[in-house]
Amino acid sequence: MSKTKSWELSRRSVLRGAAGAVLALPWLEAMAPSVARAQAAGGKPPLRFVGMFHSAGVIPDQWFPTAEGSGYALPASLSPLETVKGDVLVLSGLRLGAWDYFEKTHEGGFWMMLTASEHITAGATDSIDQVIASATASQVRVPSLTLSVENNGYYNPGYQDANGDGYIDPKTSSYDDTQDHCSGGEQCMVSFARGQRLPNVYNPRVLFTRLFGSLTSTGPTDAERRIWTYRRSVLDRVTSQAKSLQGKLGQADQLRLDEYLSGIRAIEQSIQKAEQGNPAPACSPGAQPVGIPMDRTAYADLMCDLIVKSFECDATRVATLMLGMCVSPMTFTVNGRAFSHHGDASHHGNDPVKKAAKVEIDRWQVARLARLVQRLKAVREGDGTLLDNVAVYYSSDISNSDWHNHYDMPVILAGRAGGAFRTGRHVRAQDKRCGDVLLSILQAFGIPRGGFGPLAQGPLSGLA
């Protein structure tokens, strides 16, 4: 039985430790006013949004289901969704603009994906993530996250592992993880605020500090950012405060706080492992790594885990994650052969070997969505899970990877957005627009459309 106490905790409370370290807390019953605390179980948790970018389109007959409704079979490219099939909506028939059948550009579809706007207007155009961020910024510590796992061609020239320890080597003249070194913003940055592209964060260590902790009060210099003086665990710095806080909480809150802190520790330990590395016995000492795993899957999954944790502690309610640039040179090895995503696999020219490679690359991307959904679903929130209060919009810059068309776009919705979406189905929305889905998300959040999305015609019916 939970304890009944008059003691209350501010919603914006944090744990504070030595050297200025701070750690945000998840939502706890003790944060609700005493008069309303009895109604907490029936209250509505906040909604969150994730925009995930799938690079370089798809092979349609390997992506779109043939049957509609809940009884559809997952095609090859969507097979990683099998374990979360009941938690997603697969949409087909959508287009970006009025008529987008042939010969459109990666870049045009890229900027339209979250803006529903054919033209970016300086001082005016916002992507949906920034519309939502503007509405929720006063309630969180970080208004939004813009993340990516491909910085100017992934490991070329910036990402290198010269010492073979499995982690990205320190900064060189061609690589600096504190800046976005995208060779062209039109290919690398999917979020817009008042017509300006927003740079990405690539380093999980940087992201973790931004979300959950801080360095010394004076802040790091450029040199300090290269080696990160923040060495001891954030949790070690706040242990005494956490123990003191647990003594004031009811049983349900104690369990929730224990689960939350355990999750934070697991993620931070993963980041510190990436930062410190595990050099082989014969490894040359060299310079210390800076915190990004060389393994592409481990890297992307860690970013997904941090998004989940940021939502759980309500540090932010908005995130975008790019799984590659829109014209991505990222190399994948399929059946022992290396394929450049854009140059080889995406533009397959109907070559069966290249098409098979593209399917495998798409499966890798979709598997990251599946993991995000699984992690969101694993977090308890109120009478349900975190996934119940999230809308994940997953789409790409083009549809058919070999044609450059903006018709029949690959779109997946995950999460229920507080009950606004009925998942577990394939919905054919023939000749409707992707922007209509974005308007449905804004509607679920209770945010007026305003000037958002000139290409959108109205919220899409059939999602509930």
Side-chain angles (χ1 to χ4, degrees):
M1 179 180 298
S2 297
K3 298 178 182 178
T4 300
K5 291 190 174 185
S6 60
W7 179 80
E8 296 175 6
L9 184 65
S10 167
R11 179 64 193 86
R12 300 179 69 86
S13 294
V14 295
L15 301 176
R16 297 184 181 277
V22 298
L23 184 66
L25 290 169
W27 184 88
L28 300 171
E29 292 174 7
M31 293 172 176
S34 56
V35 175
R37 194 173 300 152
Q39 303 173 352
K44 291 185 177 181
L47 300 185
R48 293 83 155 186
F49 172 78
V50 182
M52 289 187 77
F53 175 71
H54 174 107
S55 177
V58 303
I59 296 178
D61 64 2
Q62 300 296 307
W63 181 278
F64 294 108
T66 55
E68 295 182 66
S70 60
Y72 73 96
L74 289 167
S77 294
L78 298 185
S79 60
L81 296 177
E82 186 63 46
T83 59
V84 297
K85 186 180 176 184
D87 302 305
V88 302
L89 274 167
V90 177
L91 306 179
S92 62
L94 293 164
R95 62 180 188 262
L96 282 171
W99 181 250
D100 304 309
Y101 201 70
F102 288 112
E103 298 302 325
K104 297 293 182 176
T105 65
H106 286 278
E107 292 82 3
F110 185 53
W111 75 60
M112 284 190 276
M113 176 187 152
L114 296 181
T115 65
S117 180
E118 192 170 5
H119 305 287
I120 304 301
T121 303
T125 303
D126 289 319
S127 50
I128 184 174
D129 57 302
Q130 294 307 303
V131 175
I132 298 172
S134 294
T136 60
S138 64
Q139 304 167 58
V140 294
R141 297 179 62 231
V142 180
S144 68
L145 306 176
T146 52
L147 313 177
S148 178
V149 297
E150 182 176 16
N151 189 347
N152 195 19
Y154 200 47
Y155 299 136
N156 181 23
Y159 289 6
Q160 301 174 17
D161 183 20
N163 61 8
D165 66 358
Y167 302 94
I168 294 172
D169 294 338
K171 296 181 232 180
T172 66
S173 59
S174 62
Y175 173 68
D176 180 346
D177 72 338
T178 65
Q179 300 181 29
D180 194 323
H181 280 255
C182 175
S183 59
E186 71 279 1
Q187 297 179 6
C188 303
M189 306 177 196
V190 74
S191 294
F192 289 84
R194 298 187 61 79
Q196 296 296 315
R197 294 181 185 272
L198 299 181
N200 296 311
V201 175
Y202 298 91
N203 193 329
R205 179 72 175 190
V206 175
L207 173 58
F208 183 86
T209 299
R210 180 175 299 181
L211 285 169
F212 306 122
S214 63
L215 293 165
T216 57
S217 58
T218 57
T221 65
D222 289 342
E224 286 169 334
R225 286 185 183 276
R226 300 187 183 190
I227 59 174
W228 292 105
T229 59
Y230 191 49
R231 291 291 186 234
R232 290 189 295 144
S233 168
V234 169
L235 293 180
D236 288 341
R237 298 181 180 184
V238 300
T239 295
S240 60
Q241 284 204 8
K243 289 181 178 179
S244 174
L245 177 60
Q246 284 176 318
K248 300 178 181 179
L249 297 176
Q251 184 177 3
D253 277 349
Q254 289 184 26
L255 292 173
R256 189 175 292 115
L257 184 59
D258 283 343
E259 181 181 51
Y260 169 75
L261 293 178
S262 295
I264 288 286
R265 180 177 291 279
I267 288 180
E268 191 194 6
Q269 286 175 343
S270 295
I271 294 170
Q272 290 195 347
K273 180 180 178 182
E275 184 185 37
Q276 295 169 3
N278 287 311
C283 177
S284 168
Q288 292 295 314
V290 298
I292 300 176
M294 279 294 292
D295 180 78
R296 177 188 294 117
T297 299
Y299 181 15
D301 286 351
L302 183 55
M303 289 299 220
C304 288
D305 289 351
L306 286 167
I307 290 173
V308 173
K309 192 56 61 176
S310 74
F311 287 174
E312 184 183 355
C313 75
D314 210 20
T316 189
R317 297 179 185 172
V318 178
T320 59
L321 175 61
M322 293 181 57
L323 297 173
M325 294 161 55
C326 77
V327 181
S328 174
M330 194 185 299
T331 299
F332 290 79
T333 300
V334 180
N335 295 326
R337 175 178 167 183
F339 294 86
S340 167
H341 187 181
H342 176 257
D344 297 328
S346 174
H347 290 291
H348 51 74
N350 219 31
D351 181 314
V353 175
K354 293 182 177 181
K355 288 179 70 175
K358 175 57 175 165
V359 170
E360 286 305 306
I361 294 170
D362 289 347
R363 280 169 45 82
W364 179 85
Q365 296 186 87
V366 172
R368 312 286 63 80
L369 169 64
R371 178 190 172 87
L372 176 67
V373 172
Q374 289 170 335
R375 293 295 176 136
L376 290 167
K377 193 173 182 178
V379 178
R380 294 173 300 161
E381 184 169 73
D383 294 330
T385 72
L386 185 54
L387 182 63
D388 295 327
N389 303 301
V390 173
V392 181
Y393 181 80
Y394 182 100
S395 191
S396 190
D397 48 341
I398 57 176
S399 178
N400 188 314
S401 68
D402 206 32
W403 288 5
H404 276 217
N405 63 318
H406 292 168
Y407 179 83
D408 207 6
M409 293 294 292
V411 176
I412 300 172
L413 273 180
R416 295 171 182 82
F421 304 141
R422 181 164 57 91
T423 55
R425 299 176 295 142
H426 166 220
V427 175
R428 184 168 287 119
Q430 200 63 37
D431 295 329
K432 298 299 182 180
R433 299 188 182 180
C434 296
D436 299 344
V437 183
L438 300 182
L439 290 186
S440 296
I441 294 172
L442 288 182
Q443 187 178 67
F445 276 76
I447 299 174
R449 173 179 180 174
F452 175 78
L455 291 173
Q457 298 174 308
L460 184 64
S461 61
L463 299 181

